[in-house]
Amino acid sequence: MEYKIGLIGCGTVGQGFLEILNKKSEYLMDKIDFAAKVVGISDKLKGSLLIPEGINLAKLLQILNQGKKISEYLKGKKNAAEGMDPLEMIEKCEADIIAELTYTDIKTAEPATSYLKKAFRTGKHVVTSNKGPAALYYKELKKLAQRNNLLFKFEGTVMSGTPVFSLFENGLAGNEIKEIRGILNGTTNFILTKMEEEKMDYKKALKLAQKLGYAEADPKADVEGYDALVKIVILSNVFLDANIKPADVKREGISSISKEDVKEALAEGTRYKLIASVKKEKRQVKALVSPQKLPLSDPLAGIMGANNALTFDLDLLGKMTIQGPGAGKIETGYSILSDMLAIHHHLSKQI
Ligand code: HSE
């Protein structure tokens, strides 16, 4: 089956997704009967492009890798989408699926939430790695999608392409979750690792995380724990049927932890990790983000670099830990593909 895709935002994640599509189109067609035709792109900084017959991804990626604007693609020819903003693009691009990949705004979840609503109201499925809408408006957006017989997928919002939501839809279905504890921010885990293993300064490690594409546009969101906080809010609302907002979660980041603290903790047989957790206690959901000294025997203590991990306490299986990449261009780009494949799987069953 071939799907028409509209891309809103073409930054690190968008380009990672396009690279995967470009590289793996034959494999995806042969093995999974999945083909994607990117028909429209709108990016606030890089410009917009609308080509109903499909964009040549190799050519577009070359332009993007040279740091040029998307409109270069049609150099010399008429670009009907010149200056088209995301809302207009969503309406006009006739896509089956909108991939919403703009930057997360934790406070307002905008403009992403408006893009998602526009997509659902114009009959398009949505996949997104943007944490704002899923953290602030999950239930409302899910209802809107359902009312329109559409799917709302957001695998990349937590642990990038490492499966979390699809894991529960499939392999772990039927389990109830008693508690979730995890390392959900790649940047801070990367910084703590560099401070320990290479005795690197906090600032230098943060710069490196930014260079590698792990950090948020405003890295304060990472180091002060806001990013881990929105992720635990998403997990609470999706898995524990809670209705919490970011303001309901106590938060502390890692900016006050020094190389010396890291060294001291290790000498005590512990390791600092930024832990996000949520627990159901007498029908109340309690979520928290804080740096904690974990004994080295805790599976979460062994998670290094930009990796993330989650320990679920399940009623049927007991404690189960998953670990995998939590950030990065291809890793998060993959989450977008995996959501599209889930939509493909769902739609193929209906035929
Ligand atoms: N800034 C985030 C992190 C990106 O470091 O984990 C993935 O959400």
Side-chain angles (χ1 to χ4, degrees):
M1 264 163 97
E2 184 178 78
Y3 297 87
K4 286 183 262 169
I5 312 292
L7 220 66
I8 303 303
C10 196
T12 310
V13 179
Q15 287 183 48
F17 168 64
L18 293 178
E19 277 176 26
I20 298 173
L21 270 192
N22 187 41
K23 237 189 229 158
K24 300 206 59 151
S25 59
E26 248 176 66
Y27 178 89
L28 293 170
M29 192 59 215
D30 285 356
K31 300 276 179 201
I32 317 180
D33 187 32
F34 172 89
K37 186 159 90 175
V38 179
V39 293
I41 301 180
S42 177
D43 182 282
K44 283 245 151 115
L45 296 174
K46 295 179 187 144
S48 39
L49 194 60
L50 180 64
I51 303 191
E53 60 274 21
I55 295 167
N56 177 325
L57 297 185
K59 181 175 166 188
L60 178 70
L61 283 165
Q62 205 177 21
I63 290 167
L64 290 169
N65 287 336
Q66 289 165 352
K68 293 184 185 157
K69 290 217 163 196
I70 290 169
S71 42
E72 280 283 315
Y73 186 95
L74 285 179
K75 213 174 174 190
K77 288 193 216 135
K78 196 170 170 288
N79 178 3
E82 191 81 64
M84 199 181 263
D85 86 354
L87 288 172
E88 201 183 345
M89 176 62 75
I90 294 168
E91 188 155 339
K92 294 198 173 146
C93 73
E94 291 186 3
D96 305 301
I97 305 171
I98 293 293
E100 197 286 320
L101 310 173
T102 64
Y103 290 115
T104 295
D105 182 321
I106 292 169
K107 288 200 184 109
T108 66
E110 286 294 355
T113 302
S114 300
Y115 300 158
L116 267 51
K117 287 183 177 169
K118 176 64 120 185
F120 291 136
R121 287 182 180 133
T122 54
K124 293 151 182 111
H125 302 284
V126 168
V127 313
T128 182
S129 56
N130 193 317
K131 290 154 272 193
L136 266 55
Y137 302 112
Y138 164 65
K139 290 205 167 138
E140 184 185 333
L141 289 166
K142 196 177 160 198
K143 263 191 208 146
L144 182 61
Q146 279 171 342
R147 266 209 307 274
N148 289 287
N149 211 8
L150 294 162
L151 296 172
F152 172 36
K153 307 293 277 181
F154 44 86
E155 187 65 78
T157 58
V158 180
M159 287 183 80
S160 68
T162 306
V164 175
F165 302 103
S166 60
L167 189 66
F168 272 85
E169 271 167 35
N170 303 299
L172 291 175
N175 275 284
E176 284 174 58
I177 301 174
K178 292 192 270 183
E179 185 181 10
I180 305 173
R181 281 171 70 244
I183 294 171
L184 294 178
N185 182 264
T187 302
T188 45
N189 207 54
F190 178 83
I191 294 172
L192 291 171
T193 301
K194 289 284 170 194
M195 279 162 66
E196 176 186 325
E197 291 181 346
E198 295 174 33
K199 316 282 173 280
M200 202 180 264
D201 279 335
Y202 171 88
K203 274 193 179 159
K204 200 172 163 197
L206 172 58
K207 272 208 173 133
L208 193 53
Q210 285 177 295
K211 201 176 144 198
L212 291 167
Y214 302 147
E216 294 301 295
D218 176 1
K220 230 176 100 181
D222 297 293
V223 296
E224 298 302 346
Y226 293 101
D227 177 70
L229 183 152
V230 290
K231 289 168 177 165
I232 203 71
V233 168
I234 296 172
L235 294 177
S236 306
N237 293 343
V238 173
F239 288 143
L240 299 179
D241 200 28
N243 209 357
I244 58 170
K245 298 265 177 251
D248 301 325
V249 183
K250 272 200 186 163
R251 171 204 52 83
E252 191 191 328
I254 63 152
S255 58
S256 62
I257 296 177
S258 65
K259 271 197 297 204
E260 288 67 35
D261 295 330
V262 169
K263 200 174 154 191
E264 262 173 43
L266 217 58
E268 293 166 11
T270 62
R271 187 175 270 141
Y272 267 110
K273 293 289 173 193
L274 184 67
I275 298 297
S277 61
V278 62
K279 199 175 183 170
K280 233 180 187 171
E281 271 173 7
K282 294 186 195 139
R283 291 204 190 165
Q284 277 231 326
V285 165
K286 282 196 182 148
L288 172 74
V289 174
S290 68
Q292 292 175 20
K293 285 196 254 181
L294 304 183
L296 298 180
S297 55
D298 187 320
L300 298 180
I303 307 302
M304 305 305 273
N307 277 341
N308 281 189
L310 275 171
T311 298
F312 294 100
D313 193 355
L314 304 161
D315 64 339
L316 304 178
L317 272 187
K319 286 200 176 151
M320 193 207 71
T321 301
I322 56 165
Q323 68 155 307
K329 184 180 181 182
I330 296 297
E331 295 84 342
T332 315
Y334 170 65
S335 74
I336 303 307
L337 175 67
S338 79
D339 274 344
M340 287 185 188
L341 295 180
I343 293 175
H344 168 57
H345 186 67
H346 177 88
L347 296 179
S348 318
K349 276 195 305 196
Q350 292 183 333
I351 294 171

Short mmCIF file of all heavy atoms in Angstrom, two decimals, residues 129 131 156-160 184-188 213-216 222 227 231 306 308 326-328 332, ligand 1:
data_model
loop_
_atom_site.label_atom_id
_atom_site.label_comp_id
_atom_site.label_asym_id
_atom_site.label_seq_id
_atom_site.Cartn_x
_atom_site.Cartn_y
_atom_site.Cartn_z
N SER A 129 6.36 13.30 17.02
CA SER A 129 7.36 13.08 18.08
C SER A 129 7.34 14.28 19.02
O SER A 129 8.18 14.40 19.89
CB SER A 129 8.76 12.92 17.47
OG SER A 129 9.05 14.05 16.67
N LYS A 131 6.31 16.36 22.04
CA LYS A 131 5.80 15.95 23.35
C LYS A 131 4.70 16.85 23.89
O LYS A 131 3.91 16.44 24.74
CB LYS A 131 6.97 15.91 24.34
CG LYS A 131 7.93 14.79 24.07
CD LYS A 131 9.33 15.07 24.58
CE LYS A 131 10.16 15.79 23.56
NZ LYS A 131 11.58 15.86 23.82
N GLY A 156 7.39 8.33 19.28
CA GLY A 156 8.66 9.04 19.45
C GLY A 156 8.69 10.02 20.61
O GLY A 156 9.75 10.57 20.92
N THR A 157 7.56 10.23 21.28
CA THR A 157 7.56 11.21 22.37
C THR A 157 8.31 10.69 23.60
O THR A 157 8.79 11.47 24.40
CB THR A 157 6.12 11.60 22.79
OG1 THR A 157 5.43 10.41 23.19
CG2 THR A 157 5.38 12.29 21.66
N VAL A 158 8.36 9.37 23.75
CA VAL A 158 9.05 8.78 24.90
C VAL A 158 10.01 7.70 24.38
O VAL A 158 9.62 6.80 23.65
CB VAL A 158 8.04 8.13 25.89
CG1 VAL A 158 8.78 7.52 27.08
CG2 VAL A 158 7.02 9.15 26.38
N MET A 159 11.30 7.83 24.72
CA MET A 159 12.34 6.87 24.32
C MET A 159 12.53 6.80 22.81
O MET A 159 12.85 5.73 22.27
CB MET A 159 12.06 5.47 24.89
CG MET A 159 12.33 5.39 26.38
SD MET A 159 12.09 3.74 27.07
CE MET A 159 13.61 2.92 26.64
N SER A 160 12.36 7.88 22.13
CA SER A 160 12.52 7.98 20.67
C SER A 160 11.96 6.72 19.97
O SER A 160 10.80 6.38 20.18
CB SER A 160 13.97 8.30 20.29
OG SER A 160 14.85 7.23 20.57
N LEU A 184 14.45 8.96 31.28
CA LEU A 184 13.71 9.35 30.09
C LEU A 184 14.33 10.52 29.34
O LEU A 184 13.76 10.97 28.35
CB LEU A 184 12.26 9.69 30.48
CG LEU A 184 11.43 8.52 30.99
CD1 LEU A 184 10.05 8.95 31.39
CD2 LEU A 184 11.36 7.43 29.93
N ASN A 185 15.44 11.01 29.82
CA ASN A 185 16.08 12.11 29.10
C ASN A 185 17.50 11.71 28.70
O ASN A 185 18.35 11.46 29.56
CB ASN A 185 16.09 13.38 29.97
CG ASN A 185 16.70 14.54 29.22
OD1 ASN A 185 17.88 14.83 29.37
ND2 ASN A 185 15.92 15.20 28.38
N GLY A 186 17.72 11.66 27.40
CA GLY A 186 19.02 11.22 26.88
C GLY A 186 20.13 12.22 27.18
O GLY A 186 21.25 11.83 27.52
N THR A 187 19.81 13.51 27.05
CA THR A 187 20.83 14.54 27.25
C THR A 187 21.43 14.48 28.65
O THR A 187 22.65 14.47 28.81
CB THR A 187 20.20 15.93 27.01
OG1 THR A 187 19.67 15.95 25.68
CG2 THR A 187 21.20 17.06 27.18
N THR A 188 20.58 14.41 29.67
CA THR A 188 21.10 14.41 31.05
C THR A 188 21.84 13.12 31.35
O THR A 188 22.86 13.13 32.04
CB THR A 188 19.96 14.62 32.07
OG1 THR A 188 18.88 13.78 31.70
CG2 THR A 188 19.52 16.05 32.12
N GLY A 213 22.77 16.38 18.63
CA GLY A 213 21.34 16.44 18.32
C GLY A 213 20.44 15.83 19.38
O GLY A 213 19.27 15.55 19.12
N TYR A 214 20.94 15.63 20.61
CA TYR A 214 20.11 15.05 21.66
C TYR A 214 19.27 16.11 22.38
O TYR A 214 18.15 15.84 22.78
CB TYR A 214 20.97 14.37 22.74
CG TYR A 214 21.89 13.27 22.24
CD1 TYR A 214 23.12 13.04 22.85
CD2 TYR A 214 21.51 12.46 21.18
CE1 TYR A 214 23.96 12.02 22.40
CE2 TYR A 214 22.36 11.45 20.73
CZ TYR A 214 23.57 11.25 21.34
OH TYR A 214 24.40 10.25 20.90
N ALA A 215 19.87 17.29 22.55
CA ALA A 215 19.24 18.30 23.41
C ALA A 215 18.05 18.98 22.74
O ALA A 215 17.93 19.01 21.52
CB ALA A 215 20.28 19.33 23.82
N GLU A 216 17.18 19.52 23.57
CA GLU A 216 16.05 20.30 23.09
C GLU A 216 16.57 21.65 22.56
O GLU A 216 17.70 22.05 22.86
CB GLU A 216 15.07 20.58 24.23
CG GLU A 216 14.38 19.35 24.77
CD GLU A 216 13.59 18.60 23.72
OE1 GLU A 216 12.61 19.13 23.20
OE2 GLU A 216 13.96 17.45 23.42
N ASP A 222 16.01 20.06 29.17
CA ASP A 222 16.65 18.78 29.51
C ASP A 222 17.21 18.82 30.92
O ASP A 222 16.82 18.02 31.77
CB ASP A 222 17.80 18.49 28.52
CG ASP A 222 17.33 18.34 27.10
OD1 ASP A 222 16.62 17.35 26.83
OD2 ASP A 222 17.64 19.20 26.26
N ASP A 227 11.85 18.04 30.37
CA ASP A 227 11.63 17.06 29.31
C ASP A 227 11.22 15.70 29.90
O ASP A 227 10.26 15.08 29.44
CB ASP A 227 12.90 16.93 28.46
CG ASP A 227 12.77 15.89 27.38
OD1 ASP A 227 12.01 16.13 26.43
OD2 ASP A 227 13.41 14.83 27.49
N LYS A 231 7.45 13.65 29.68
CA LYS A 231 7.37 12.24 29.28
C LYS A 231 6.66 11.40 30.34
O LYS A 231 5.87 10.52 30.01
CB LYS A 231 8.79 11.70 29.00
CG LYS A 231 9.37 12.31 27.71
CD LYS A 231 10.85 12.02 27.59
CE LYS A 231 11.41 12.56 26.28
NZ LYS A 231 12.89 12.62 26.27
N ALA A 306 23.35 8.34 25.92
CA ALA A 306 22.03 8.93 25.62
C ALA A 306 20.92 7.89 25.69
O ALA A 306 19.77 8.18 25.33
CB ALA A 306 22.06 9.57 24.24
N ASN A 308 18.02 5.45 27.15
CA ASN A 308 16.92 5.58 28.11
C ASN A 308 16.52 4.19 28.57
O ASN A 308 16.88 3.20 27.93
CB ASN A 308 15.69 6.20 27.44
CG ASN A 308 15.75 7.71 27.27
OD1 ASN A 308 14.77 8.32 26.90
ND2 ASN A 308 16.90 8.31 27.51
N GLY A 326 17.21 6.91 23.39
CA GLY A 326 16.15 7.82 23.82
C GLY A 326 16.15 9.12 23.06
O GLY A 326 15.30 9.99 23.28
N ALA A 327 17.11 9.29 22.17
CA ALA A 327 17.20 10.54 21.40
C ALA A 327 18.07 10.28 20.19
O ALA A 327 18.72 9.23 20.09
CB ALA A 327 17.81 11.64 22.28
N GLY A 328 18.08 11.23 19.28
CA GLY A 328 18.95 11.11 18.10
C GLY A 328 18.16 11.20 16.81
O GLY A 328 16.96 10.93 16.77
N THR A 332 14.99 8.80 16.42
CA THR A 332 13.66 9.40 16.52
C THR A 332 12.97 9.38 15.15
O THR A 332 11.75 9.21 15.07
CB THR A 332 13.74 10.83 17.09
OG1 THR A 332 14.63 10.82 18.21
CG2 THR A 332 12.38 11.33 17.55
N1 HSE B 1 16.08 16.23 24.45
C1 HSE B 1 15.49 14.92 24.54
C2 HSE B 1 16.45 14.01 25.27
C3 HSE B 1 15.23 14.42 23.13
O1 HSE B 1 17.60 14.39 25.49
O2 HSE B 1 16.05 12.93 25.68
C4 HSE B 1 14.33 13.23 23.06
O3 HSE B 1 13.05 13.50 23.57
#
